[in-house]
Amino acid sequence: MGASKTEYFSAKQNEIAAIAKAIGHPARVAILEYLVKVDACICGDIVNELPLAQPTVSQHLRELKNAGLIKGNIEGNAICYCIDEKAIEKLKKYFDGISNKLLKKNSCC
Amino acid sequence: MGASKTEYFSAKQNEIAAIAKAIGHPARVAILEYLVKVDACICGDIVNELPLAQPTVSQHLRELKNAGLIKGNIEGNAICYCIDEKAIEKLKKYFDGISNKLLKKNSCC
DNA sequence: AATCTTTATTGCAATATTGCAATATTAAAT
DNA sequence: ATTTAATATTGCAATATTGCAATAAAGATT
């Protein structure tokens, strides 16, 4: 025991959880913010931006990619990563939905 | 080593990461959705809604509470949990901000 | 071809998370 | 005061995550 019982929950619940989980680490938040900040999506220097070793950054990038938050293009021997807006839109819509539903209620706590 | 190097990142980055992390488990997504669904924020029956044991649900509730996503009132011997809209608003604003910044750029990947 | 640059992978240690049975706590009901 | 009901805490096992050194892979440069 001890593993997440993901199979007991809906696909949508698991999808939102997976995206949120990927954002749930400050290094990955920092990576996303860096990708938003730079105009071009030149990427190798993410390592220089962060106080983490290259393999660690590479792993965080993989997790963001698995969650659909970023996408990458191979350009020569470098890789150009950038944010995949679709995942951001999914989250936006999800929280907008929650927010709208909450407005229709009288908060009781 | 292996612990998160949270001290290397900004307070805001850590805050967003902490909220996202709390949402990053399907059981906690399911709890949030249940709290949105029920009109009143009667809470004991969250345990009946989920395929998890009572201590497990209690722990998930504590994590949601620590992240500021829910708040709870003691009502007799029961506890009334409900969503804290402030945390939802924070996330909404954060992703709106990212989304707006992305619109001003030509996506290159 | 040999080297450099960039990124990914592997293997490992440290730590964190998940889930639950057992137990504790707290307040209501009898 | 005892019992019941609701929730929290503790302690533990199973699993996952985090971070990095070492190494690999793959294209560019010389």
Side-chain angles (χ1 to χ4, degrees):
Chain A
M1 299 130 199
S4 277
K5 296 189 157 185
T6 58
E7 69 276 16
Y8 292 163
F9 302 98
S10 75
K12 181 72 182 174
Q13 287 168 340
N14 275 299
E15 186 188 29
I16 293 296
I19 300 176
K21 188 177 185 178
I23 303 177
H25 190 291
R28 294 194 287 268
V29 172
I31 289 175
L32 290 178
E33 291 181 357
Y34 180 73
L35 287 177
V36 169
K37 193 181 75 178
V38 292
D39 257 347
C41 47
I42 304 151
C43 297
D45 29 28
I46 296 173
V47 174
N48 297 326
E49 277 291 305
L50 299 187
L52 295 171
Q54 179 268 324
T56 307
V57 172
S58 179
Q59 199 180 272
H60 282 309
L61 286 168
R62 183 169 53 180
E63 277 181 63
L64 287 170
K65 200 173 181 188
N66 286 343
L69 278 157
I70 62 175
K71 47 189 173 178
N73 268 359
I74 296 174
E75 296 200 350
N77 61 340
I79 291 183
C80 164
Y81 277 120
C82 64
I83 290 190
D84 190 335
E85 306 177 34
K86 290 195 295 293
I88 303 288
E89 288 306 312
K90 261 181 205 163
L91 281 184
K92 261 188 60 179
K93 277 182 191 162
Y94 187 75
F95 293 120
D96 277 351
I98 288 185
S99 197
N100 287 337
K101 282 175 196 156
L102 288 176
L103 281 178
K104 294 176 189 158
K105 307 191 177 187
N106 35 0
S107 59
C108 49
C109 293
Chain B
M1 297 132 196
S4 278
K5 296 189 155 185
T6 58
E7 69 276 16
Y8 291 164
F9 302 97
S10 76
K12 181 72 181 175
Q13 287 167 341
N14 274 300
E15 186 189 28
I16 293 296
I19 301 176
K21 187 177 186 178
I23 303 178
H25 189 291
R28 293 193 289 267
V29 171
I31 289 174
L32 290 178
E33 291 181 357
Y34 181 73
L35 287 176
V36 170
K37 194 181 74 177
V38 292
D39 257 347
C41 48
I42 305 153
C43 296
D45 30 29
I46 295 174
V47 174
N48 297 326
E49 276 291 306
L50 298 187
L52 295 171
Q54 180 268 324
T56 306
V57 171
S58 180
Q59 200 181 269
H60 282 308
L61 285 169
R62 183 169 53 179
E63 278 181 62
L64 288 170
K65 199 173 180 184
N66 285 343
L69 278 158
I70 62 174
K71 47 191 172 177
N73 267 359
I74 295 174
E75 296 201 349
N77 60 342
I79 291 182
C80 165
Y81 277 121
C82 63
I83 290 189
D84 190 334
E85 307 177 34
K86 289 195 295 293
I88 303 288
E89 288 306 312
K90 263 181 204 162
L91 281 184
K92 260 188 60 180
K93 276 182 192 161
Y94 186 75
F95 293 120
D96 277 350
I98 288 185
S99 198
N100 287 336
K101 283 173 195 156
L102 288 178
L103 282 178
K104 293 174 189 158
K105 308 192 175 183
N106 36 359
S107 57
C108 50
C109 294

